[in-house]
Amino acid sequence: MSRVHRCLSSSWRAVSSSSSKPVWTVPRAGTRAYVQAALQQNQRPERSTYSKPVHSRPQRDAHEEDDMAVFGSSSSRNSETQQISHFEECAVEHFAGLFPELQFSPELAKRLLTHASHPRAKDGHNGGLAFLGRRVINTYLQLFLASSPNFSLTHDINTISTQALNPNLVGEKIGNSWGLGRVMRWTPAAPSYKLKDSAIEEQVKREAGLYKVQAEAVQGIVGGIYQQYGASVAHRFFHTRVLPYLLVKGGVPGVFHQEAHSILKQMGGRNGPLLEPKKNTQTSAA
Protein backbone atom coordinates (compact mmCIF):
# COMPACT_ATOMS: atom_id res chain seq x y z
CA MET A 1 0.00 0.00 0.00
CA SER A 2 1.37 3.32 -0.99
CA ARG A 3 2.10 6.06 1.50
CA VAL A 4 -0.66 8.33 0.13
CA HIS A 5 -3.21 5.53 0.34
CA ARG A 6 -2.28 4.82 3.96
CA CYS A 7 -2.79 8.52 4.90
CA LEU A 8 -6.22 8.60 3.30
CA SER A 9 -7.25 5.39 5.06
CA SER A 10 -6.20 6.71 8.47
CA SER A 11 -8.06 9.96 7.89
CA TRP A 12 -11.22 8.08 6.94
CA ARG A 13 -11.04 5.93 10.06
CA ALA A 14 -10.63 9.05 12.22
CA VAL A 15 -13.74 10.61 10.73
CA SER A 16 -15.77 7.40 11.08
CA SER A 17 -14.81 6.96 14.74
CA SER A 18 -15.62 10.59 15.72
CA SER A 19 -18.85 11.75 17.41
CA SER A 20 -22.04 11.63 15.37
CA LYS A 21 -22.90 15.24 16.30
CA PRO A 22 -23.09 17.54 13.27
CA VAL A 23 -20.25 19.95 12.75
CA TRP A 24 -22.40 22.89 11.51
CA THR A 25 -24.98 24.46 13.82
CA VAL A 26 -28.22 26.09 12.74
CA PRO A 27 -27.84 29.89 12.69
CA ARG A 28 -29.91 32.03 15.00
CA ALA A 29 -33.25 33.34 13.86
CA GLY A 30 -31.94 36.89 13.56
CA THR A 31 -28.98 35.76 11.52
CA ARG A 32 -31.17 33.60 9.33
CA ALA A 33 -33.58 36.44 8.63
CA TYR A 34 -30.70 38.76 7.81
CA VAL A 35 -29.16 36.19 5.43
CA GLN A 36 -32.49 35.52 3.72
CA ALA A 37 -33.07 39.25 3.25
CA ALA A 38 -29.58 39.65 1.84
CA LEU A 39 -30.12 36.78 -0.54
CA GLN A 40 -33.45 38.12 -1.72
CA GLN A 41 -31.82 41.51 -2.24
CA ASN A 42 -29.12 39.95 -4.38
CA GLN A 43 -31.59 37.79 -6.30
CA ARG A 44 -33.66 40.76 -7.51
CA PRO A 45 -33.27 41.24 -11.23
CA GLU A 46 -31.57 44.41 -12.38
CA ARG A 47 -33.66 47.00 -14.13
CA SER A 48 -32.61 49.25 -16.93
CA THR A 49 -34.23 52.30 -15.34
CA TYR A 50 -34.72 53.04 -11.67
CA SER A 51 -38.24 53.19 -10.33
CA LYS A 52 -39.11 53.83 -6.71
CA PRO A 53 -40.40 50.62 -5.10
CA VAL A 54 -43.96 50.76 -3.86
CA HIS A 55 -44.40 49.59 -0.30
CA SER A 56 -47.63 49.06 1.51
CA ARG A 57 -48.12 51.60 4.30
CA PRO A 58 -47.74 49.80 7.64
CA GLN A 59 -50.31 50.40 10.29
CA ARG A 60 -49.00 52.71 13.00
CA ASP A 61 -49.11 51.64 16.59
CA ALA A 62 -49.79 53.87 19.58
CA HIS A 63 -46.13 54.78 20.05
CA GLU A 64 -45.77 55.88 16.44
CA GLU A 65 -48.91 58.01 16.75
CA ASP A 66 -47.35 59.70 19.77
CA ASP A 67 -44.17 60.35 17.78
CA MET A 68 -46.21 61.88 14.97
CA ALA A 69 -47.90 64.14 17.48
CA VAL A 70 -44.51 65.27 18.78
CA PHE A 71 -42.97 65.96 15.39
CA GLY A 72 -46.15 67.52 14.03
CA SER A 73 -49.05 65.94 12.24
CA SER A 74 -51.10 67.71 9.61
CA SER A 75 -53.70 68.80 12.17
CA SER A 76 -51.06 70.17 14.53
CA ARG A 77 -49.38 72.02 11.67
CA ASN A 78 -52.70 73.57 10.69
CA SER A 79 -53.29 74.65 14.28
CA GLU A 80 -49.79 76.09 14.41
CA THR A 81 -50.39 78.03 11.20
CA GLN A 82 -53.61 79.44 12.61
CA GLN A 83 -51.81 80.58 15.74
CA ILE A 84 -49.16 82.34 13.67
CA SER A 85 -51.84 84.05 11.56
CA HIS A 86 -53.66 85.14 14.71
CA PHE A 87 -50.45 86.58 16.16
CA GLU A 88 -49.77 88.48 12.94
CA GLU A 89 -53.27 90.00 13.07
CA CYS A 90 -52.82 91.02 16.71
CA ALA A 91 -49.41 92.55 15.95
CA VAL A 92 -50.76 94.58 13.03
CA GLU A 93 -53.73 95.78 15.10
CA HIS A 94 -51.44 96.77 17.97
CA PHE A 95 -49.23 98.90 15.73
CA ALA A 96 -52.29 100.41 14.04
CA GLY A 97 -53.49 101.57 17.45
CA LEU A 98 -50.09 102.98 18.42
CA PHE A 99 -49.08 104.63 15.16
CA PRO A 100 -52.14 105.02 12.90
CA GLU A 101 -50.19 106.80 10.17
CA LEU A 102 -47.68 104.01 9.71
CA GLN A 103 -48.46 100.72 8.05
CA PHE A 104 -46.66 97.54 9.00
CA SER A 105 -46.99 94.38 6.95
CA PRO A 106 -48.02 91.24 8.87
CA GLU A 107 -44.56 89.77 8.38
CA LEU A 108 -42.79 92.89 9.65
CA ALA A 109 -45.18 93.31 12.59
CA LYS A 110 -44.67 89.69 13.61
CA ARG A 111 -40.92 90.09 13.35
CA LEU A 112 -40.82 93.29 15.42
CA LEU A 113 -42.75 91.66 18.28
CA THR A 114 -40.77 88.40 18.34
CA HIS A 115 -37.70 88.23 20.55
CA ALA A 116 -34.74 85.97 19.83
CA SER A 117 -35.46 83.98 23.00
CA HIS A 118 -38.79 82.65 21.68
CA PRO A 119 -38.91 79.22 19.98
CA ARG A 120 -40.52 80.81 16.92
CA ALA A 121 -37.55 83.16 16.52
CA LYS A 122 -36.25 80.75 13.88
CA ASP A 123 -38.93 82.17 11.58
CA GLY A 124 -37.66 85.72 12.16
CA HIS A 125 -37.08 88.03 15.12
CA ASN A 126 -36.30 91.67 15.82
CA GLY A 127 -32.56 91.26 16.49
CA GLY A 128 -31.34 92.72 13.21
CA LEU A 129 -33.67 95.71 13.23
CA ALA A 130 -32.88 96.33 16.91
CA PHE A 131 -29.20 96.53 15.98
CA LEU A 132 -30.07 99.21 13.44
CA GLY A 133 -32.51 100.99 15.73
CA ARG A 134 -29.99 101.31 18.58
CA ARG A 135 -27.65 103.22 16.32
CA VAL A 136 -30.43 105.39 14.92
CA ILE A 137 -31.65 106.37 18.40
CA ASN A 138 -28.12 106.98 19.66
CA THR A 139 -27.28 109.12 16.64
CA TYR A 140 -30.39 111.30 16.94
CA LEU A 141 -29.88 111.71 20.69
CA GLN A 142 -26.27 112.79 20.32
CA LEU A 143 -27.21 115.19 17.51
CA PHE A 144 -29.87 116.70 19.77
CA LEU A 145 -27.43 117.07 22.68
CA ALA A 146 -24.64 118.52 20.56
CA SER A 147 -26.92 121.09 18.89
CA SER A 148 -28.53 122.20 22.14
CA PRO A 149 -27.52 125.70 23.39
CA ASN A 150 -27.29 124.20 26.87
CA PHE A 151 -24.55 121.78 25.90
CA SER A 152 -21.14 122.70 27.32
CA LEU A 153 -17.65 121.26 27.44
CA THR A 154 -18.38 119.83 30.87
CA HIS A 155 -20.93 117.42 29.41
CA ASP A 156 -19.75 114.00 28.29
CA ILE A 157 -22.01 113.20 25.37
CA ASN A 158 -21.20 109.48 25.41
CA THR A 159 -21.93 109.15 29.11
CA ILE A 160 -25.24 111.00 28.77
CA SER A 161 -26.41 108.90 25.83
CA THR A 162 -25.37 105.64 27.52
CA GLN A 163 -27.25 106.61 30.67
CA ALA A 164 -30.38 107.81 28.86
CA LEU A 165 -30.54 104.77 26.58
CA ASN A 166 -30.08 102.19 29.32
CA PRO A 167 -32.15 99.13 28.24
CA ASN A 168 -33.98 98.91 31.57
CA LEU A 169 -35.00 102.56 31.34
CA VAL A 170 -36.06 102.34 27.70
CA GLY A 171 -37.96 99.12 28.28
CA GLU A 172 -39.71 100.36 31.39
CA LYS A 173 -40.68 103.85 30.23
CA ILE A 174 -41.28 103.36 26.51
CA GLY A 175 -42.02 99.63 26.36
CA ASN A 176 -44.60 99.80 29.12
CA SER A 177 -46.20 102.90 27.59
CA TRP A 178 -46.56 101.11 24.25
CA GLY A 179 -47.89 97.96 25.92
CA LEU A 180 -45.32 95.75 24.22
CA GLY A 181 -45.23 93.18 27.02
CA ARG A 182 -48.85 92.23 26.37
CA VAL A 183 -48.30 91.28 22.74
CA MET A 184 -44.65 90.25 22.48
CA ARG A 185 -43.42 86.69 22.02
CA TRP A 186 -40.45 86.01 24.29
CA THR A 187 -39.16 83.55 26.89
CA PRO A 188 -38.61 84.88 30.44
CA ALA A 189 -35.21 84.29 32.01
CA ALA A 190 -36.62 84.00 35.54
CA PRO A 191 -38.02 80.70 36.93
CA SER A 192 -41.69 80.12 36.23
CA TYR A 193 -42.67 79.97 39.90
CA LYS A 194 -41.65 83.62 40.30
CA LEU A 195 -44.00 84.66 37.50
CA LYS A 196 -47.20 82.98 38.71
CA ASP A 197 -48.52 85.89 40.75
CA SER A 198 -50.41 88.58 38.88
CA ALA A 199 -48.68 91.35 40.84
CA ILE A 200 -45.06 90.81 39.87
CA GLU A 201 -42.51 92.87 41.77
CA GLU A 202 -40.18 95.25 39.98
CA GLN A 203 -37.09 93.20 40.80
CA VAL A 204 -38.64 90.05 39.34
CA LYS A 205 -39.43 91.88 36.12
CA ARG A 206 -35.80 92.87 35.82
CA GLU A 207 -34.63 89.33 36.59
CA ALA A 208 -37.01 87.93 33.97
CA GLY A 209 -35.56 90.33 31.41
CA LEU A 210 -38.88 91.99 30.57
CA TYR A 211 -37.51 95.50 30.32
CA LYS A 212 -34.52 94.47 28.22
CA VAL A 213 -36.78 92.50 25.89
CA GLN A 214 -39.13 95.49 25.56
CA ALA A 215 -36.14 97.75 24.93
CA GLU A 216 -35.05 95.55 22.03
CA ALA A 217 -38.57 95.74 20.64
CA VAL A 218 -38.50 99.55 20.87
CA GLN A 219 -35.14 99.60 19.10
CA GLY A 220 -36.45 97.19 16.48
CA ILE A 221 -39.48 99.36 15.83
CA VAL A 222 -37.28 102.43 15.29
CA GLY A 223 -35.04 100.37 13.02
CA GLY A 224 -38.04 99.14 11.05
CA ILE A 225 -39.39 102.68 10.64
CA TYR A 226 -35.98 103.94 9.54
CA GLN A 227 -35.68 101.13 7.01
CA GLN A 228 -39.22 101.40 5.66
CA TYR A 229 -39.92 105.14 5.84
CA GLY A 230 -36.50 106.75 5.85
CA ALA A 231 -34.46 109.03 8.07
CA SER A 232 -36.87 111.99 8.07
CA VAL A 233 -39.79 110.00 9.49
CA ALA A 234 -37.51 108.21 11.94
CA HIS A 235 -36.18 111.57 13.13
CA ARG A 236 -39.68 112.90 13.80
CA PHE A 237 -40.57 109.61 15.45
CA PHE A 238 -37.60 109.94 17.79
CA HIS A 239 -38.49 113.47 18.93
CA THR A 240 -42.22 112.83 19.35
CA ARG A 241 -42.48 109.17 20.41
CA VAL A 242 -39.14 108.29 22.03
CA LEU A 243 -37.33 111.29 23.53
CA PRO A 244 -40.24 112.57 25.69
CA TYR A 245 -40.19 109.31 27.69
CA LEU A 246 -36.46 109.74 28.40
CA LEU A 247 -36.89 113.13 30.08
CA VAL A 248 -37.00 111.53 33.52
CA LYS A 249 -34.70 111.00 36.46
CA GLY A 250 -31.83 108.80 35.34
CA GLY A 251 -32.42 109.68 31.69
CA VAL A 252 -31.58 112.84 29.80
CA PRO A 253 -30.26 115.53 32.22
CA GLY A 254 -32.73 118.23 33.21
CA VAL A 255 -30.72 120.99 31.57
CA PHE A 256 -31.85 119.65 28.15
CA HIS A 257 -35.55 119.20 28.96
CA GLN A 258 -36.68 122.64 27.92
CA GLU A 259 -35.02 122.30 24.53
CA ALA A 260 -36.61 118.85 24.02
CA HIS A 261 -40.07 120.17 24.89
CA SER A 262 -39.59 123.09 22.49
CA ILE A 263 -38.78 120.73 19.59
CA LEU A 264 -41.68 118.48 20.57
CA LYS A 265 -44.09 121.41 20.41
CA GLN A 266 -42.77 122.45 16.99
CA MET A 267 -43.43 118.94 15.68
CA GLY A 268 -47.01 118.83 16.92
CA GLY A 269 -46.66 117.15 20.30
CA ARG A 270 -46.59 113.48 21.20
CA ASN A 271 -49.26 112.72 18.61
CA GLY A 272 -47.80 114.97 15.95
CA PRO A 273 -47.81 113.88 12.31
CA LEU A 274 -45.00 111.59 11.23
CA LEU A 275 -45.49 111.59 7.48
CA GLU A 276 -45.16 114.75 5.46
CA PRO A 277 -48.45 115.86 3.90
CA LYS A 278 -48.77 115.09 0.23
CA LYS A 279 -48.25 118.15 -1.90
CA ASN A 280 -50.93 119.10 -4.34
CA THR A 281 -49.43 118.70 -7.79
CA GLN A 282 -52.30 120.34 -9.59
CA THR A 283 -51.47 123.82 -10.74
CA SER A 284 -54.11 126.49 -10.86
CA ALA A 285 -55.17 127.66 -14.25
CA ALA A 286 -53.65 130.93 -15.27
Side-chain angles (χ1 to χ4, degrees):
M1 184 181 294
S2 64
R3 184 176 180 181
V4 175
H5 188 269
R6 286 197 301 271
C7 291
L8 290 175
S9 298
S10 61
S11 299
W12 174 256
R13 286 194 300 272
V15 171
S16 300
S17 60
S18 63
S19 175
S20 60
K21 293 181 180 180
V23 177
W24 302 102
T25 59
V26 179
R28 294 177 298 175
T31 306
R32 179 182 297 176
Y34 171 78
V35 172
Q36 289 177 353
L39 290 175
Q40 292 176 1
Q41 179 74 17
N42 292 333
Q43 288 174 358
R44 289 175 184 170
E46 296 182 358
R47 299 179 182 180
S48 58
T49 58
Y50 173 78
S51 62
K52 186 176 181 180
V54 179
H55 300 283
S56 60
R57 192 184 187 95
Q59 186 175 3
R60 299 192 185 101
D61 56 13
H63 297 289
E64 289 177 332
E65 293 294 341
D66 293 340
D67 293 340
M68 290 298 295
V70 171
F71 289 102
S73 61
S74 58
S75 59
S76 63
R77 286 195 296 269
N78 292 336
S79 176
E80 194 173 320
T81 303
Q82 292 176 358
Q83 291 178 359
I84 294 175
S85 300
H86 178 68
F87 176 73
E88 290 178 352
E89 293 176 2
C90 293
V92 171
E93 291 178 0
H94 190 77
F95 283 125
L98 282 176
F99 320 118
E101 289 182 87
L102 308 180
Q103 294 182 357
F104 296 86
S105 66
E107 180 63 28
L108 178 59
K110 178 185 70 174
R111 182 179 172 188
L112 291 177
L113 294 179
T114 301
H115 189 257
S117 62
H118 194 269
R120 277 290 160 194
K122 61 183 181 180
D123 299 330
H125 57 84
N126 55 20
L129 291 175
F131 178 85
L132 173 63
R134 278 193 298 273
R135 280 141 186 81
V136 172
I137 296 174
N138 186 69
T139 299
Y140 288 152
L141 177 59
Q142 292 196 2
L143 286 174
F144 161 72
L145 295 174
S147 61
S148 174
N150 298 315
F151 185 79
S152 64
L153 297 178
T154 59
H155 292 118
D156 187 344
I157 194 170
N158 290 323
T159 301
I160 295 175
S161 59
T162 301
Q163 173 183 323
L165 300 180
N166 181 279
N168 285 322
L169 179 65
V170 173
E172 179 183 359
K173 299 303 180 181
I174 304 178
N176 285 354
S177 178
W178 292 355
L180 299 180
R182 297 193 302 268
V183 293
M184 281 195 62
R185 298 193 300 185
W186 65 293
T187 302
S192 59
Y193 69 87
K194 290 187 176 182
L195 305 174
K196 290 182 179 179
D197 297 333
S198 57
I200 303 177
E201 297 181 359
E202 201 72 18
Q203 183 61 26
V204 176
K205 291 181 180 180
R206 293 181 184 273
E207 292 178 0
L210 173 63
Y211 294 151
K212 289 185 178 181
V213 167
Q214 289 188 156
E216 287 194 40
V218 171
Q219 296 161 357
I221 292 170
V222 174
I225 293 174
Y226 181 88
Q227 187 180 67
Q228 183 168 336
Y229 290 96
S232 177
V233 175
H235 182 254
R236 295 183 65 87
F237 186 88
F238 167 78
H239 278 284
T240 58
R241 270 70 171 181
V242 176
L243 184 58
Y245 293 102
L246 304 179
L247 305 178
V248 295
K249 182 180 179 180
V252 177
V255 68
F256 300 102
H257 289 190
Q258 184 177 357
E259 179 71 14
H261 287 301
S262 176
I263 296 176
L264 176 64
K265 185 177 180 180
Q266 294 175 8
M267 293 187 175
R270 296 196 178 193
N271 295 321
L274 296 173
L275 303 178
E276 295 181 1
K278 296 181 180 179
K279 296 180 180 180
N280 189 5
T281 57
Q282 296 180 355
T283 57
S284 57

